[in-house]
Amino acid sequence: MSTNESVKAQIIQKAWEDEAFKNQLLANPKAALKQAFNITLPDDIKVKAVEETSTEFVLVIPTNPAKVLVASDGVECVW
């Protein structure tokens, strides 16, 4: 499991176990991630959290690998 997948799994697990965190994550993802995991995202990065239900599903189309962001320090920025 990659680091990104591990972090995502931790966030999802916390949302399942902590209703207040889940509500904050849905309302203000950046603040929730900062508070719970000390993750600070740049201002130009947008995060959207949505919750699937038994009748509503979310299909995420990942970034095209040919268009991966590269930070000024040369590090690839992929969620």
Side-chain angles (χ1 to χ4, degrees), residues 4-73:
N4 288 339
E5 290 171 344
S6 175
V7 171
K8 285 182 189 179
Q10 290 174 29
I11 293 167
I12 292 166
Q13 187 68 39
K14 181 160 181 66
W16 286 341
E17 295 171 351
D18 182 341
E19 189 74 18
F21 170 73
K22 180 179 81 171
N23 290 334
Q24 183 183 25
L25 186 63
L26 292 168
N28 188 341
K30 282 185 164 184
L33 295 174
K34 174 66 177 170
Q35 183 179 356
F37 294 94
N38 200 31
I39 296 172
T40 302
L41 298 170
D43 290 338
D44 62 330
I45 299 294
K46 290 172 45 177
V47 178
K48 184 175 184 178
V50 295
E51 182 178 17
E52 289 186 340
T53 69
S54 62
T55 59
E56 184 175 37
F57 299 92
V58 177
L59 174 62
V60 177
I61 302 169
T63 303
N64 181 331
K67 297 180 181 180
V68 171
L69 298 175
V70 178
S72 60
D73 60 2

